[in-house]
Amino acid sequence: MDVLRRLFDESSYTVVFTGAGMSTEAGLPDFRSASTGLWNNIDPMELASTDAMYNNREAFIDFYRYRVESLRACTPHKGHEILAKWGREGKVKSIITQNVDGFHHLAGSESVAELHGTLRTCHCNDCRRRYPIDNFMELGTSCECCGFLRPSVVLFGEELPEDAFIQAEREAKKADLFVAIGSSLTVSPANLFPQIAKQAGAKLVIINIEKTGLDHLADLIITNEKIGSILQQLE
Ligand code: APR
């Protein structure tokens, strides 16, 4: 922990990158944990892809309504609050997240690039008009104009939102310390950003209780403790 503390102290531009492991201590399952990952029992292509949205629509709607209900039962944990505090103090310049739970915003973080969108809103699949997620949950799934209301998350088979991608790329290139927290780092193109940071000269720290796809690039790997405990020791 002393090495990580020193890396933070020596850094002038720290960027934090988070995955679903950042929210498990808030009560949300991640996707690939050996024991509890959501994709251990669900094929994401059947429920979280564009093909599912068009050809398996009822199951798609049920799946995302279930995920929104799960989200409503949870709140950001201490780790989210610490990252927000570090953002206010300038210790962390920005967050790049794969998570769609909105917990970084709810905890008070301001500079957050949501690579995979958000479950906090929905939008018309045709005209792109955005609505509160309640419209998807309670008011049916038709837009006032024409099309199908769907959650504003990036489905398998869709491109990442351009503004988030550009923001994440800019931040990764500016980082002198890039801390990847709670991600298996197996999903592209999100897992490009730790690599972009590393190529631009940043030190790469990976905090994850299981091996990740980019451990071979890390300057420091912390696997023996949970995220919440680690962040509280550094607070
Ligand atoms: N502390 C430390 N590590 C944790 C904790 C914790 N409390 N909880 C879970 N982890 C680790 C798991 O061991 C796992 O390796 O977090 C990692 C989460 O990895 P994934 O479940 O693959 O989640 P993520 O990397 O965010 O997935 C990327 O895949 O399905 C898509 O769109 C989805 O955004 C998601 C993307």
Side-chain angles (χ1 to χ4, degrees):
M1 199 64 65
D2 289 344
V3 175
L4 181 53
R5 190 175 282 110
R6 178 169 51 78
L7 287 172
F8 269 109
D9 292 345
E10 291 170 353
S11 165
S12 58
Y13 207 95
T14 295
V15 173
V16 168
F17 177 95
T18 62
M22 181 74 214
S23 297
T24 54
E25 291 169 73
L28 286 180
D30 65 15
F31 298 98
R32 297 175 186 81
S33 269
S35 52
T36 57
L38 203 55
W39 299 152
N40 293 347
N41 304 307
I42 295 170
D43 177 354
M45 296 308 146
E46 286 182 12
L47 291 175
S49 65
T50 49
D51 181 62
M53 179 170 70
Y54 290 113
N55 303 315
N56 193 18
R57 181 155 291 184
E58 285 313 309
F60 171 88
I61 292 169
D62 290 347
F63 176 62
Y64 278 100
R65 283 178 170 168
Y66 157 75
R67 286 192 64 194
V68 173
E69 289 300 347
S70 308
L71 187 53
R72 286 173 166 174
C74 301
T75 54
H77 65 76
K78 180 74 176 161
H80 291 100
E81 293 166 9
I82 290 169
L83 291 179
K85 174 169 171 277
W86 289 354
R88 292 189 292 274
E89 296 168 348
K91 180 171 178 173
V92 167
K93 297 299 183 190
S94 66
I95 293 176
I96 302 167
T97 189
Q98 299 170 95
N99 299 342
V100 297
D101 52 41
F103 282 168
H104 289 303
H105 282 301
L106 281 175
S109 291
E110 291 184 1
S111 175
V112 182
E114 292 181 318
L115 296 175
H116 293 162
T118 178
L119 274 177
R120 299 291 171 177
T121 64
C122 61
H123 64 268
C124 174
N125 204 49
D126 295 335
C127 74
R128 316 288 300 170
R129 183 172 170 186
R130 215 171 259 253
Y131 299 88
I133 194 67
D134 294 353
N135 288 50
F136 173 74
M137 296 298 286
E138 280 95 39
L139 302 177
T141 54
S142 55
C143 166
E144 289 165 10
C145 73
C146 45
F148 170 61
L149 275 190
R150 40 72 58 91
S152 297
V153 296
V154 176
L155 301 174
F156 283 98
E158 290 185 318
E159 301 286 318
L160 270 56
E162 190 180 5
D163 56 343
F165 192 99
I166 291 168
Q167 181 182 350
E169 188 176 34
R170 183 191 65 237
E171 290 302 299
K173 287 179 175 173
K174 289 169 75 172
D176 58 15
L177 177 62
F178 195 92
V179 185
I181 300 178
S183 177
S184 61
L185 299 173
T186 53
V187 172
S188 177
N191 67 359
L192 285 178
F193 298 107
Q195 300 174 71
I196 289 171
K198 184 74 183 171
Q199 284 155 16
K203 290 219 183 300
L204 174 61
V205 173
I206 295 177
I207 300 175
N208 207 66
I209 48 178
E210 291 175 326
K211 285 187 178 307
T212 80
L214 298 181
D215 284 355
H216 60 286
L217 294 178
D219 296 283
L220 176 66
I221 301 175
I222 301 178
T223 58
N224 57 342
E225 278 191 77
K226 289 196 167 186
I227 292 161
S229 163
I230 293 165
L231 295 177
Q232 289 179 63
Q233 290 176 57
L234 290 170
E235 195 178 4

